[in-house]
Amino acid sequence: MSVIEKKFLEIFGKEPDLVAAAPGRVNLIGEHIDYSDGFVLPFAIKDRTLVAARKRDDSTIRIASMQRRNKVVTVDINRVKPGLKGEWERYALGVVWSMGVKTGVDLLIDGHVPLGAGLSSSAALECSVATAMNHLFGLGFTLEELARLTQKAENQYVGVPCGIMDQSVSLMATQGSALLLDCRDLNTKNIPFDVAASGLELLIIDTQAHHALTDGGYAERRASCEAVVAKLAIASLRELSMEQLEASRSLLTDTEYLRARHAVTEMKRVLDCVDALTSSDFVRVGQLLNQSHASLRDDYAVSCPELDTAVDAALSAGALGSRMVGGGFGGSAIALIQAVKTTETIKMIEKAFSDRGFKAPRFFTSLPSQGAEIISRR
Ligand code: ADP
Ligand code: MG
């Protein structure tokens, strides 16, 4: 029996029917363009969240997390609706609600995705529960339906206005691939991303910085994009070409022009990155990551000193490319490096941080990994 199965037996007195797993994610490229109907290119990381589940024959849900001292939360399934107060367990109950589960169940969570590091432990939790419920109750939802249902759980039950990228990649990723996701129609395509075969590694640098600007800054960027869309009478920035943007420059404020330029160039970089990956041209991938960072820093203005320091130090250590990931103003950066240089790169970034008096960053490495799956079943 695995650790989680033993713990489940200890807590709930019976063995689980099955164990499901779903990973966290990193977005390789395509930042701040999901809300402009753009393309994104995330991949699943090796760290994942496990859930052990057992059907009950009543309407009781019991749920515990090994990261929350195994404290059991008990609730009647008929009371599980948005507005029901709670803590972390709302991420799981929201999924039970959005999937329309009507039978009681015992659930034990064991999460290995670092919480709150921008690696989407929330989507890993939601998608592991969704995968478990889908199999346990034979619900037959497709992966795309599960992506929408888990996003609905986070939006409407937990109350976090996240996009659909995190859940889509946690559910649909395949090992050795990045997932090209078209945010306009949710079409997906697996793109080969076999860094290991080329002796490369992806280093994730959690700067542990969080600047207060986050919320206001995000809304302001979105508002600028919407202003451009309205002024140019287009459906979204997806419709805009660089030529059209240059031709309409006089209609826009300088800020609007720069924000739109990031969106237009970033969408092109995602597609260029797909081409580069398809031909295993990792030098080109690195250049595109660097261009993405420069655009986020200069045109979109969402970087910060800690992120710039991480990126610059990684490049000084010989990284092929590096960029901030996520919303910005803190959070994580990624660097595409030679696997043999991992320790050296980490040391150089640590030194750059301590030289500037920044809090020490945390490091993770990950190859593109498998999406959600059932890992054991009785
Ligand atoms: P991120 O998704 O970037 O890790 P979020 O703030 O979106 O950060 O999600 C983190 C939250 O998800 C945690 O505060 C907790 O409520 C919940 N969570 C994730 N994994 C677990 C887990 N293994 N056990 C309990 N709660 C978890
Ligand atoms: Mg999250």
Side-chain angles (χ1 to χ4, degrees):
M1 246 197 282
S2 63
V3 174
I4 192 170
E5 287 167 317
K6 273 188 210 142
K7 202 64 181 167
F8 188 99
L9 178 61
E10 198 182 304
I11 295 172
F12 296 121
K14 286 178 177 162
E15 282 177 40
D17 291 328
L18 56 78
V19 180
R25 63 91 189 96
V26 164
N27 189 18
L28 181 63
I29 197 162
E31 211 63 79
H32 272 288
I33 52 172
D34 54 345
Y35 49 80
S36 293
D37 278 353
F39 297 100
V40 293
L41 192 59
F43 63 92
I45 58 173
K46 66 176 184 305
D47 302 298
R48 49 193 197 168
T49 296
L50 309 185
V51 57
R54 183 184 176 98
K55 238 190 262 186
R56 297 174 56 93
D57 46 21
D58 58 14
S59 62
T60 301
I61 299 189
R62 292 191 297 177
I63 175 166
S65 164
M66 290 170 69
Q67 285 69 48
R68 291 290 182 268
R69 283 190 250 110
N70 299 318
K71 189 173 155 273
V72 178
V73 178
T74 305
V75 53
D76 188 279
I77 201 156
N78 299 306
R79 292 184 53 230
V80 175
K81 294 186 185 75
L84 180 67
K85 294 233 176 333
E87 294 172 19
W88 69 270
E89 76 280 0
R90 290 179 307 139
Y91 288 89
L93 293 179
V95 173
V96 168
W97 164 76
S98 71
M99 291 178 75
V101 173
K102 292 283 170 240
T103 313
V105 64
D106 289 336
L107 297 170
L108 175 64
I109 313 296
D110 184 13
H112 297 271
V113 181
L115 270 60
L119 300 177
S120 209
S121 69
S122 57
L125 173 51
E126 291 150 7
C127 295
S128 64
V129 171
T131 303
M133 296 300 103
N134 209 28
H135 283 78
L136 201 57
F137 296 109
L139 301 175
F141 287 116
T142 63
L143 295 181
E144 191 178 305
E145 286 167 337
L146 291 179
R148 292 194 187 278
L149 290 168
T150 46
Q151 182 199 18
K152 182 177 169 188
E154 186 153 344
N155 290 168
Q156 295 181 25
Y157 197 99
V158 186
V160 176
C162 61
I164 197 152
M165 174 173 83
D166 300 356
Q167 291 83 2
S168 299
V169 63
S170 183
L171 289 160
M172 298 174 201
T174 57
Q175 190 169 354
S177 295
L179 188 77
L180 178 64
L181 174 69
D182 183 340
C183 297
R184 185 159 63 182
D185 57 16
L186 289 196
N187 274 338
T188 58
K189 192 174 172 204
N190 281 308
I191 308 298
F193 184 28
D194 197 356
V195 280
S198 303
L200 301 175
E201 177 74 272
L202 274 148
L203 182 64
I204 301 155
I205 307 131
D206 175 9
T207 65
Q208 304 224 60
H210 297 283
H211 295 291
L213 250 146
T214 310
D215 298 337
Y218 182 81
E220 197 194 301
R221 298 305 178 283
R222 285 192 73 147
S224 295
C225 292
E226 279 156 24
V228 176
V229 164
K231 283 185 178 174
L232 304 187
I234 49 178
S236 72
L237 294 182
R238 172 77 169 268
E239 322 274 292
L240 193 61
S241 67
M242 235 7 248
E243 294 71 37
Q244 284 168 300
L245 176 61
E246 293 300 345
S248 335
R249 186 165 183 173
S250 60
L251 300 173
L252 308 175
T253 66
D254 288 346
T255 301
E256 286 164 357
Y257 168 76
L258 291 174
R259 305 300 185 248
R261 187 165 75 176
H262 166 72
V264 174
T265 58
E266 184 78 354
M267 288 186 206
K268 172 136 189 343
R269 279 187 290 273
V270 174
L271 299 180
D272 287 350
C273 192
V274 168
D275 287 344
L277 287 175
T278 308
S279 53
S280 292
D281 184 352
F282 289 110
V283 172
R284 178 82 187 119
V285 172
Q287 289 167 348
L288 291 163
L289 296 183
N290 293 339
Q291 289 167 13
S292 173
H293 184 74
S295 178
L296 287 158
R297 182 190 61 207
D298 303 335
D299 283 1
Y300 223 63
V302 289
S303 191
C304 65
E306 292 87 347
L307 286 167
D308 291 341
T309 298
V311 166
D312 293 345
L315 292 175
S316 304
L320 282 80
S322 182
R323 72 174 195 92
M324 56 157 283
V325 294
F329 311 112
S332 296
I334 53 168
L336 182 62
I337 60 176
Q338 285 170 354
V340 291
K341 286 200 171 174
T342 307
T343 314
E344 188 186 326
T345 309
I346 288 175
K347 281 206 185 111
M348 283 190 68
I349 297 171
E350 278 172 338
K351 178 162 188 317
F353 270 60
S354 82
D355 285 351
R356 284 166 186 74
F358 298 154
K359 188 176 173 188
R362 292 193 294 174
F363 298 91
F364 311 94
T365 56
S366 185
L367 301 174
S369 304
Q370 182 60 39
E373 58 187 342
I374 300 293
I375 57 173
S376 85
R377 174 164 220 160
R378 273 202 313 153

